Amino acid sequence: MNILSMQNIRKSFADNEILKGISLSVDSGEVVSIIGPSGSGKSTLLRCATFLEMIDSGEICYMGKCAARTEAGGKAVYVPPRQLRAFRSCCGLVFQQFNLFPHYSVLKNLTDAPVQVLGCSREEAEARAMELLGKMGIADKAASYPCQLSGGQQQRVAIARALAMKPEILFFDEPTSALDPELTGEVLKVIRQLAEEKMTMVVVTHEMPFARAVSNRVIFMADGGIVEQGDPLAVFDDPQEERTRQFLRVFDR
């Protein structure tokens, strides 16, 4: 089943066009890694997919229902706010810098949104939170505050928080870029586990061995567009585009 479809997405900030007609689809259970140089539009694409940024034109659909599409005049028109909230609940986003609430305990970071947004009971939300923290290997940190955790632990809390909302698809925006190599391994292990459980994911990453090993498909972006995409082994071992080869040569040194 198709979870996400983005067609001809364009997004500019002032006179700077960041996304130049990108089309992307993700099927249920698929892991898609997006690689590319800084400034290529990867993070903006994720922010548009999760409705943190509004597209200028194009079409965004989840499970076959459109949240935004270009209408007369060439501008994207979004569904009304109540319907958009339902679309937002389809997706979760894990940021580079964790974005946990510093004044909330780990448990409260995980339970507030399910109670306030999904209408879960406090008991149900806490049971789900503890289950997820156990899965992340940090159930003993439920009463701790973010400042008391390592970076790897904070990022695992952020992943658990996203999963607590029961999204259809989970987006990761360079989830290990703020971590040292040892902590990076902790977080990548969790994402590998989610991939084995067939969680639908889109991962923006600079971790090339991870993208090669875990992804069903790799997309290489540069200059606001998709340059090349395909099976990870094909993209990494036999890239067809010179721009892709230039980028990957940096990681072969």
Side-chain angles (χ1 to χ4, degrees):
M1 181 178 74
N2 182 261
I3 299 292
L4 169 66
S5 173
M6 301 179 77
Q7 298 297 321
N8 200 27
I9 302 298
R10 293 186 178 273
K11 174 65 180 178
S12 297
F13 294 102
D15 294 329
N16 187 16
E17 189 176 29
I18 305 298
L19 301 178
K20 303 173 182 179
I22 283 185
S23 295
L24 166 70
S25 64
V26 183
D27 290 336
S28 178
E30 191 176 21
V31 179
V32 177
S33 287
I34 302 178
I35 62 173
S38 297
S40 58
K42 304 184 301 295
S43 294
T44 299
L45 180 64
L46 262 57
R47 291 179 67 84
C48 288
T50 54
F51 309 108
L52 293 177
E53 297 285 354
M54 301 291 106
I55 61 173
D56 298 328
S57 63
E59 181 179 274
I60 302 176
C61 300
Y62 278 94
M63 274 89 71
K65 297 180 180 178
C66 281
R69 60 164 35 120
T70 301
E71 296 190 355
K75 289 291 184 182
V77 176
Y78 282 77
V79 296
R82 179 174 291 184
Q83 290 176 254
L84 194 59
R85 282 196 293 273
F87 279 105
R88 283 194 171 107
S89 71
C90 291
C91 52
L93 176 59
V94 178
F95 300 88
Q96 298 178 32
Q97 299 292 339
F98 324 134
N99 284 20
L100 300 174
F101 295 112
H103 54 296
Y104 284 1
S105 69
V106 166
L107 186 62
K108 188 170 173 60
N109 262 284
L110 265 66
T111 56
D112 253 34
V115 170
Q116 300 295 330
V117 178
L118 300 182
C120 296
S121 68
R122 180 67 59 182
E123 294 76 14
E124 180 186 354
E126 289 187 356
R128 167 85 171 153
M130 291 307 300
E131 176 189 344
L132 288 168
L133 291 174
K135 187 175 182 177
M136 301 294 148
I138 47 174
D140 59 329
K141 302 296 183 182
S144 300
Y145 286 81
C147 65
Q148 298 172 309
L149 306 179
S150 71
Q153 289 169 336
Q154 289 187 61
Q155 192 61 293
R156 282 182 280 163
V157 172
I159 295 170
R161 182 179 62 178
L163 289 170
M165 295 297 288
K166 301 180 180 179
E168 297 289 340
I169 182 170
L170 195 53
F171 296 89
F172 293 85
D173 187 6
E174 297 189 22
T176 61
S177 65
L179 305 176
D180 64 36
E182 184 177 358
L183 300 180
T184 291
E186 294 179 7
V187 173
L188 293 182
K189 181 179 177 181
V190 168
I191 300 175
R192 284 174 185 268
Q193 180 183 346
L194 292 174
E196 290 170 2
E197 296 170 2
K198 301 301 181 184
M199 179 74 201
T200 309
M201 295 185 285
V202 177
V203 186
V204 169
T205 183
H206 287 300
E207 299 291 335
M208 299 301 145
F210 167 82
R212 180 189 176 107
V214 176
S215 310
N216 301 109
R217 181 158 44 104
V218 170
I219 292 173
F220 173 64
M221 282 182 63
D223 304 317
I226 292 176
V227 176
E228 187 166 352
Q229 63 177 308
D231 176 88
L233 297 183
V235 172
F236 284 109
D237 294 346
D238 188 26
Q240 300 301 299
E241 301 294 331
E242 177 57 28
R243 184 67 184 87
T244 314
R245 289 194 286 270
Q246 290 175 358
F247 176 77
L248 292 175
R249 272 198 290 270
V250 174
F251 293 93
D252 289 336
R253 291 172 184 168

